Amino acid sequence: MATNAGKTPADVCYTLIHPSLDVEIPNLQTLRRNLERGTDEIKAEALQQVIAGTIQGENYEQLLMHIIRFVMPTRNKTLKKLLLFYWEVCPKYAADGSLKQETILICNALRNDLQHPNEYIRGATLRFLCKLREAEILEPLVGPTRDCLEHRHVYVRKNAVVAISSIYRCLPQLIPDAPELIHAFLVSEADMTCRRNALNMLAACAPEIAVQWLKESAQLVASFDELLQLAVIDLVRRAARDFAGEKPHFIRCIFDLLSSPASSVKYEAATTLVSLTANPAAVKAAAACYISLVAKESDNNVKLIVLERLDQLRVRHEGILDDLVMDLLRVLSSPDLDVRRKSLGIVMKLTSRRNVNDVVSVLKKELNKTADNSDYDKSSDYRLLLIQTIHSCAGQFPEVAADVVDLFLDSISEFGASSATDAIVFIREVAEKFPDLRKSIISHLVDAFLDFKTGKVIRGALWILGEYAESADEIRDVWTKLREAIGELPLLAAEQRELEEAKSSDATEASAAADARASAAPSASRRILPDGTYATESSLTAAAAASNGSSSLKLDSKPPLRAVLLHSDFFTGTVLASTLAKLVLRFSRLDQPEAQANSLRAEAVLIMAGIIRIGQSAFVTNPIDEDSYDRVLACIRALEYMDEDSAVLTDAFIGDTQQAFARLVRGEVKRAAEEQKKSSKDTAVKVDDSIGFRLLAKKDTVDEADSLEHDIELATGEAESRAAVSKLDSVVQLTGFSDAVYAEAYVNVNQYDILLDVMVVNQTNTTLRNLSIEFSTLGDLKLVEKPTSYNVAPFSFSSVKASIKVSSTETGVIFGTIVYDGPGVGDSHCIVLNDIHVDIMEYIRPARCDEAQFHAMWTEFEWENKVNMSTTAAAADSLDLRAYLKHIMKATNMACLTPENALEGDCGFLSANLYAKSIFGEDALANISIEKPTDESPITGHIRIRAKTQGIALSLGDKISAAKVSLAE
C-alpha cells in the first residue's frame, strides 16, 4: 500500500510497508489499552501497528485523541520519532474538508519540539515539516523554524534550511522573504553542508540571487568542499540557459573546478563545461579531465562509464581530441580487459596520420610487455586485442604497414595460436594490398618459417609463399626452407628406420632381461599367477607399444612440417601440395635451366606422394580423408601434365586464386567504407543546413543533449517517444467485446523491462468492486509489482500499469485474469485474459565478428536447433537464393558475415553464416545452407542455429519457421 504525501508530481513521496501475513491485526480495544497504560516499549509497538494499519487502509481515527493524550507528552526519542510518522499518515481533515480541531494540539506539540533543547528532536521535527502541506498547521511554526537558522548545532541549521525551502516552494505566502533570508544565511554560514542546502534552495527558488552570490564568490569556489562544489555545478547547469550573459563567469568557474581533488566534481564539471561551450580549448580540457579520471580511478565500472562519456564527446567534436590520443594510451596500464578494449576502440577513432607512428610505437611496447607477463591467460587475450588493433591501424594507414609486418614476423613465434593466426592473416592482407612489400615479407617468412608450430599459421605462411614468391631466387630460397621444414626424403623413411631400431633395441633388452631372470632363478621357467594360471605375453604387442612410445617421444623433435603431417593434419598437407605445385609452375615459366625445373618437379611429386603415404600408414592416428587425398592427387596430376596444359594449369593454380583473394580484400574494404559512411552520416553537416544560434533560439528549441532533465528522461525511458500510429501496433486486446469487462494493453518494451498499460472498461450498469488484474509470466520474465485493486463505476474506465523485468533473450508469455466483486455481496467473477507474447526481436541486434571468433563460438555453444527449409514451386519462381537469404535475415534481425563477393554468381547453392547479439550480451549464430538446382525447382535446405542458452536457439527457430510459413502463403 502507498500513501501520497504531496500534491504535485515533483513532490510525491511514497511510504511502503509490506504486510506481515503471520501477525494478527489487534483490535481497537487492545490498541487503546496499550496506548493508555503500557510502557514506552508497549506504546511504541502499538503506535507502529497503528501506523501500518492506517497505511493499509484501516480506520483508526478513534485513536487520535488517545495518542495525543498518552503518547505525545513522552520524553522517549523513539516514540517522538514514531509520532512524526503518525502525524504524516493520520487523517487530518474532517468529513466537510476542514481541518480537525485536534490538529491544534498537534501544532502546539510540533512548536514545542522546534524549541526543544535537544538538537536531535529539533532536527527530526524540521525534517517532518518538509512533508506537511497544510497552511493552517505550518503558519504558527514559521517563526520557530526561522529561529532554528541561528541554532548552535549544524544538524539543526541544515534541516532548518531544507524546511524553509520546502515551505516556500509549496506555500510562498508564509515566508515571502525566504530567498533574502537564505541568502543572508549563505553569506554568514561557515559549515559547508548548510551552505550546500542553502545554495540548492536559492538555485530552485531564486536563481538570480544564487547567480549573484556565485559571481561574488567566484574566487573561493576552488576552496569549497565536494558537496558545495557539486551544488555550484548544479546551479550553473540550471542557470546557464536563463542567464546567458553570465556564461563567461560560469565557464571560468567550471574551469577552476576541473582541478578539484574530488573525482565526482571533476566528472560533473567536465560534463557541464562541454554543455556550456563548444570551444576547442574547453573540449580538450574536459577530455583531459576524463582521461585523468580513468587513469586515477580504481573501479572498473567508473572507468567504463567515463570512457563512454569520452567516446560521446569524440563523436560530437570530431577531430578536436586527436592530440590527446597519447594521454589516452596511459589507460592501457589498467589490468581489466574490458577497459583496455574500450580505450583501444577510442584510440583507433582518434588516430590520424599525424599521430599514427606514435600510436603504433606505444602498441609495440605493450605487445612486447605481454611476452614477459606471467599470467598467460590474461596476457594472451590482451595480446590478441593488441594485434587486432595494430592490424586495423595498419589497414587504415598504409605508411605503417611495413613496420607492423616486421614486428609481427619478428614476434610471431612467441604468440599463442589465436594471436599468431591473426598476425598471419594480417600479413597476407598486407601482401595483397602493397606489392612493394612482398619481397620483404617473403624474406622474413622464409627466415621465421621453422619457428611456426601450429597448423593454421603454417597454412597461412605456405599460402603467402606460394602466391607471392615470383622470382627465381625467391622460389629457390622458399624451396630450400620447405625442404628443411619437411626433413629427410622420401617421407616415412626416417620413421621406418626409427621403428626398426626400436624393435632391435627392444629385442636386445628383452633377451638381456630373460638372461638375467634365468641366471637369478634357473629353476622357475614359467611364471604362475595368483589364480594358478600361467602368465602370457605377446611379443608383437609389446614391440608395437614400445615402438609407438618411442616414436611419440621423438615426434616433437622433428621438423615442423613433418611433425604436423604426423599429427594427422592433412589439411596442411593439401596446402603444402598446392604451394609446391604453384612454385613449380611459376619456376617453369621463368627463363631458368630445364634441369632445375625438372628437379623441382620431381622433388615436389615425391613430397606429395609421401603425404599420401603418411596418411595411409600406421604412424598416424587418423587416416587421410578423401578430400585431402583427392586434392593432393590433383596436384600430382597437374605436375604430370604441366607440359601439355601449362596455360590452363597456371590460370587455375595462380591466377584464379590471386583474383579470388583480391576480390575478398576489396569486399572487406568496401564493407568497412560503407560502415564508416553510415556511422558518419548523422554527424555530417550539409552545405544547406541551417545554423543554430543559441542566444536567438527559443527555450524549448535549445539543444538539451547535456541537460540534467534530458539525462533523467533517458534513464526512465521517457525520451523515446513513439508516434501514435506506431503505438497502435503494440496494443493487444485482452478480453472480448461481449465480456463484462473489456481490457486492452499497450505493451511498451524498454531495454530491460516491459511496461503494460492496461485500459479496463466496465461495460455493465453496476459498480465493479475490488477489480484487480493478476498477471503471471512464463520464461525469464518477472513481475515487479502487483497491480492494486480498483472500484470501477458503471460504463467508466480505469488504467492499470504493471512493470515486468526481463533477464534474458527468449520468447516469453504473459497471461493473467481479471477478478472483481459484484453486483451482489458475495458475488465474485473471473475473466481469463488473452496471452501476451514478448517478441525476441525486441532484444536481438545485428552484429559482426571475424571468422575465427565465429568458429570458436560455434564450437563452444552446445545448444543447436536445426530448421529444415522448403518452399513451394510458386514461391520459388519469384525468389532466388540471395532474395531468400535476405528474407531470413530480415525475419531474424541477423547480419550476414559471409562477404558479398562470396555470394556472387549463380550456382544453384548458397551457404552463409549469420550472427546477432542480444542487448544482454548473448550471442546467436546461424548457418544457412540452401539450394535451387533449376529455375523451376523449389528452394530446399536447412538452417542450423547455435546459442549458449536454449531459449535463444528455440526462439530464433520459431521465428524462422514463421518466416517460412509467411513466405509460403
Side-chain angles (χ1 to χ4, degrees):
M1 298 292 293
T3 61
N4 190 342
K7 291 185 178 181
T8 61
D11 296 327
V12 170
C13 178
Y14 291 96
T15 302
L16 301 175
I17 296 181
H18 185 271
S20 182
L21 301 178
D22 56 347
V23 177
E24 182 180 357
I25 299 177
N27 54 32
L28 285 175
Q29 297 297 330
T30 305
L31 291 174
R32 187 180 290 113
R33 184 176 60 253
N34 292 337
L35 291 172
E36 290 179 4
R37 307 172 186 173
T39 61
D40 287 345
E41 290 76 12
I42 296 177
K43 289 181 180 180
E45 184 179 357
L47 191 55
Q48 290 180 13
Q49 293 172 345
V50 171
I51 295 172
T54 303
I55 290 176
Q56 295 171 10
E58 300 291 337
N59 186 3
Y60 289 142
E61 293 187 24
Q62 303 177 22
L63 299 176
L64 179 58
M65 279 307 300
H66 287 76
I67 294 174
I68 293 175
R69 291 174 56 195
F70 300 106
V71 181
M72 197 169 64
T74 184
R75 295 175 177 270
N76 187 283
K77 294 183 177 59
T78 303
L79 276 176
K80 283 189 173 293
K81 185 68 175 179
L82 289 173
L83 276 173
L84 295 178
F85 287 136
Y86 177 71
W87 301 144
E88 180 183 354
V89 301
C90 73
K92 307 177 186 65
Y93 291 92
D96 58 354
S98 61
L99 278 175
K100 293 182 178 181
Q101 297 296 327
E102 293 87 345
T103 55
I104 299 176
L105 301 175
I106 298 175
C107 181
N108 184 56
L110 293 175
R111 183 181 179 87
N112 293 334
D113 288 342
L114 288 176
Q115 298 172 345
H116 200 279
N118 186 281
E119 62 272 5
Y120 168 76
I121 295 177
R122 279 203 187 196
T125 308
L126 288 167
R127 293 176 66 88
F128 167 70
L129 295 185
C130 300
K131 301 178 182 180
L132 290 179
R133 298 296 181 266
E134 292 78 17
E136 293 86 347
I137 299 178
L138 288 173
E139 186 175 3
L141 305 178
V142 171
T145 303
R146 296 172 65 115
D147 295 339
C148 289
L149 289 175
E150 301 176 0
H151 194 271
R152 58 179 177 78
H153 204 280
V154 174
Y155 181 72
V156 177
R157 296 201 302 273
K158 70 177 183 180
N159 285 308
V161 174
V162 176
I164 291 176
S165 173
S166 176
I167 296 172
Y168 182 77
R169 289 192 207 182
C170 300
L171 303 167
Q173 68 274 12
L174 296 182
I175 317 179
D177 61 336
E180 292 78 10
L181 178 67
I182 296 299
H183 178 248
F185 175 82
L186 177 62
V187 173
S188 60
E189 178 60 39
D191 183 74
M192 292 297 176
T193 306
C194 298
R195 300 182 74 183
R196 186 272 311 266
N197 292 349
L199 184 59
N200 287 338
M201 185 269 178
L202 291 177
C205 302
E208 64 282 353
I209 298 179
V211 171
Q212 182 62 32
W213 173 85
L214 181 59
K215 290 174 60 178
E216 296 172 356
S217 307
Q219 303 296 329
L220 303 175
V221 169
S223 61
F224 294 162
D225 74 338
E226 180 180 354
L227 295 177
L228 189 54
Q229 287 179 344
L230 289 174
V232 169
I233 295 174
D234 183 64
L235 170 63
V236 170
R237 294 186 68 173
R238 291 171 181 266
R241 193 175 304 167
D242 297 328
F243 298 88
E246 305 295 338
K247 185 178 291 187
H249 297 90
F250 293 157
I251 294 176
R252 192 178 306 113
C253 179
I254 297 298
F255 256 109
D256 294 338
L257 292 178
L258 289 178
S259 57
S260 173
S263 300
S264 59
V265 175
K266 295 176 69 174
Y267 176 78
E268 294 294 339
T271 305
T272 306
L273 181 61
V274 295
S275 68
L276 292 175
T277 179
N279 184 277
V283 173
K284 286 184 179 180
C289 184
Y290 284 145
I291 295 173
S292 65
L293 280 176
V294 177
K296 174 184 175 182
E297 286 296 318
S298 58
D299 192 343
N300 292 328
N301 294 324
V302 175
K303 290 177 182 286
L304 292 174
I305 292 172
V306 178
L307 285 173
E308 182 65 28
R309 179 69 74 169
L310 180 63
D311 195 22
Q312 295 174 1
L313 188 63
R314 176 198 60 80
V315 173
R316 294 185 59 195
H317 304 277
E318 195 73 30
I320 296 180
L321 307 183
D322 293 352
D323 296 337
L324 300 176
V325 65
M326 299 305 296
D327 296 332
L328 184 57
L329 286 172
R330 294 188 289 116
V331 181
L332 296 179
S333 59
S334 173
D336 186 72
L337 188 63
D338 292 333
V339 175
R340 289 170 167 174
R341 181 179 290 107
K342 184 68 176 179
S343 60
L344 284 176
I346 301 175
V347 165
M348 283 306 304
K349 302 294 179 56
L350 296 177
T351 304
S352 61
R353 297 187 182 278
R354 294 186 294 108
N355 55 26
V356 62
N357 292 318
D358 297 332
V359 171
V360 172
S361 63
V362 174
L363 295 179
K364 284 181 181 179
K365 293 179 182 178
E366 290 293 322
L367 192 61
N368 293 330
K369 290 179 183 178
T370 59
D372 303 330
N373 197 339
S374 59
D375 194 347
Y376 178 76
D377 293 335
K378 291 184 178 180
S379 62
S380 61
D381 295 338
Y382 182 40
R383 185 186 302 120
L384 178 61
L385 180 61
L386 286 172
I387 290 175
Q388 293 173 350
T389 305
I390 296 174
H391 181 174
S392 58
C393 188
Q396 296 180 18
F397 306 99
E399 57 268 22
V400 299
D403 295 337
V404 173
V405 168
D406 294 340
L407 170 67
F408 283 174
L409 289 174
D410 293 339
S411 309
I412 197 170
S413 59
E414 302 174 359
F415 294 165
S418 57
S419 302
T421 303
D422 196 85
I424 205 70
V425 168
F426 165 72
I427 294 171
R428 183 179 63 182
E429 183 179 337
V430 170
E432 173 60 33
K433 288 183 178 180
F434 309 106
D436 296 339
L437 299 178
R438 291 176 183 174
K439 184 174 292 186
S440 173
I441 291 174
I442 294 296
S443 176
H444 280 84
L445 275 181
V446 169
D447 294 338
F449 191 83
L450 294 179
D451 296 328
F452 302 154
K453 302 300 181 184
T454 59
K456 288 185 177 181
V457 179
I458 292 176
R459 289 194 295 270
L462 286 173
W463 190 90
I464 296 172
L465 294 175
E467 287 294 333
Y468 303 113
E470 298 177 349
S471 66
D473 293 336
E474 289 177 346
I475 293 175
R476 291 191 186 97
D477 294 340
V478 171
W479 198 275
T480 303
K481 187 60 66 173
L482 292 180
R483 277 295 317 275
E484 187 178 352
I486 292 172
E488 181 182 348
L489 291 179
L491 291 172
L492 288 185
E495 286 72 20
Q496 191 68 32
R497 187 167 58 251
E498 291 176 3
L499 178 61
E500 294 175 354
E501 294 176 356
K503 287 182 179 179
S504 61
S505 63
D506 291 342
T508 304
E509 292 177 0
S511 61
D515 295 340
R517 287 195 300 270
S519 60
S523 59
S525 58
R526 295 179 179 178
R527 182 177 295 276
I528 301 175
L529 298 177
D531 58 356
T533 60
Y534 293 107
T536 59
E537 182 179 11
S538 172
S539 60
L540 181 61
T541 305
S547 65
N548 287 338
S550 61
S551 63
S552 63
L553 289 175
K554 297 179 181 179
L555 196 60
D556 296 335
S557 61
K558 292 183 179 297
L561 269 176
R562 199 182 196 96
V564 167
L565 293 174
L566 291 173
H567 273 298
S568 304
D569 188 359
F570 298 108
F571 184 28
T572 304
T574 60
V575 177
L576 174 61
S578 177
T579 300
L580 294 176
K582 292 177 184 178
L583 293 176
V584 172
L585 289 171
R586 190 175 282 113
F587 191 83
S588 63
R589 297 174 57 190
L590 301 175
D591 188 13
Q592 296 297 322
E594 186 176 356
Q596 293 185 10
N598 291 335
S599 174
L600 295 181
R601 181 177 176 183
E603 199 168 293
V605 172
L606 179 62
I607 295 173
M608 296 177 192
I611 295 173
I612 296 178
R613 283 189 60 203
I614 289 178
Q616 296 174 343
S617 68
F619 289 94
V620 292
T621 56
N622 300 316
I624 189 171
D625 56 283
E626 291 187 10
D627 292 339
S628 300
Y629 178 84
D630 294 341
R631 179 64 176 168
V632 175
L633 198 60
C635 293
I636 294 176
R637 289 175 179 171
L639 295 183
E640 180 183 357
Y641 297 103
M642 61 177 290
D643 295 333
E644 303 174 6
D645 301 321
S646 177
V648 176
L649 292 173
T650 301
D651 290 340
F653 277 86
I654 299 176
D656 292 346
T657 56
Q658 280 192 354
Q659 293 175 7
F661 183 65
R663 287 196 302 270
L664 180 65
V665 172
R666 288 196 298 269
E668 288 294 324
V669 173
K670 182 180 178 182
R671 182 186 62 80
E674 290 176 353
E675 291 183 354
Q676 180 68 22
K677 185 178 180 180
K678 288 181 181 179
S679 62
S680 61
K681 183 182 297 184
D682 297 335
T683 58
V685 179
K686 298 180 181 180
V687 294
D688 57 346
D689 285 350
S690 61
I691 301 176
F693 295 93
R694 184 187 293 267
L695 295 178
L696 303 179
K698 296 180 180 179
K699 292 184 179 180
D700 55 350
T701 61
V702 177
D703 183 17
E704 298 182 354
D706 292 295
S707 66
L708 181 62
E709 294 78 7
H710 181 70
D711 293 343
I712 296 175
E713 290 179 356
L714 288 178
T716 57
E718 296 178 0
E720 300 178 0
S721 59
R722 303 174 61 181
V725 177
S726 63
K727 284 186 177 183
L728 293 177
D729 298 334
S730 301
V731 174
V732 180
Q733 183 176 345
L734 300 180
T735 62
F737 292 106
S738 60
D739 290 323
V741 178
Y742 173 76
E744 64 181 19
Y746 165 60
V747 184
N748 184 15
V749 180
N750 292 324
Q751 193 167 18
Y752 297 108
D753 58 353
I754 301 171
L755 179 63
L756 298 180
D757 189 355
V758 184
M759 185 185 70
V760 179
V761 181
N762 180 5
Q763 302 191 109
T764 65
N765 56 2
T766 60
T767 300
L768 303 181
R769 303 188 310 275
N770 298 327
L771 187 145
S772 64
I773 303 179
E774 298 179 356
F775 287 110
S776 299
T777 58
L778 182 65
D780 286 340
L781 305 176
K782 182 181 178 182
L783 185 65
V784 177
E785 57 181 348
K786 181 180 177 181
T788 57
S789 300
Y790 294 89
N791 293 333
V792 185
F795 303 108
S796 66
F797 65 91
S798 179
S799 179
V800 180
K801 290 183 172 58
S803 180
I804 296 174
K805 189 65 66 177
V806 184
S807 57
S808 69
T809 307
E810 65 176 76
T811 300
V813 181
I814 305 171
F815 49 92
T817 57
I818 293 180
V819 182
Y820 61 92
D821 298 334
V825 178
D827 295 345
S828 181
H829 302 273
C830 177
I831 301 176
V832 180
L833 304 179
N834 290 334
D835 297 342
I836 301 175
H837 294 269
V838 181
D839 194 357
I840 189 178
M841 292 299 104
E842 298 283 354
Y843 307 103
I844 291 291
R845 302 288 184 270
R848 303 199 67 86
C849 65
D850 56 34
E851 183 180 355
Q853 293 174 338
F854 183 88
H855 288 298
M857 289 187 290
W858 188 269
T859 305
E860 177 187 356
F861 293 168
E862 56 183 4
W863 290 104
E864 179 173 318
N865 186 13
K866 184 176 181 180
V867 181
N868 294 321
M869 309 297 297
S870 62
T871 62
T872 60
D877 290 339
S878 59
L879 283 177
D880 59 359
L881 296 179
R882 295 282 299 277
Y884 193 82
L885 173 63
K886 291 181 179 178
H887 176 72
I888 295 298
M889 291 169 56
K890 183 179 179 181
T892 58
N893 207 14
M894 302 182 79
C896 181
L897 300 182
T898 305
E900 282 290 329
N901 53 5
L903 300 175
E904 293 176 353
D906 187 10
C907 64
F909 176 79
L910 184 144
S911 179
N913 293 330
L914 308 179
Y915 178 64
K917 200 177 186 69
S918 73
I919 61 175
F920 303 99
E922 300 165 321
D923 301 292
L925 314 176
N927 174 263
I928 179 172
S929 299
I930 51 179
E931 63 177 351
K932 185 180 181 183
T934 62
D935 294 339
E936 295 78 15
S937 302
I939 298 176
T940 59
H942 63 268
I943 297 180
R944 297 167 62 194
I945 306 165
R946 286 198 179 183
K948 185 173 289 186
T949 58
Q950 183 184 18
I952 298 180
L954 295 178
S955 301
L956 282 178
D958 295 340
K959 274 293 175 184
I960 293 173
S961 300
K964 179 176 63 174
V965 171
S966 65
L967 190 63
E969 295 175 352

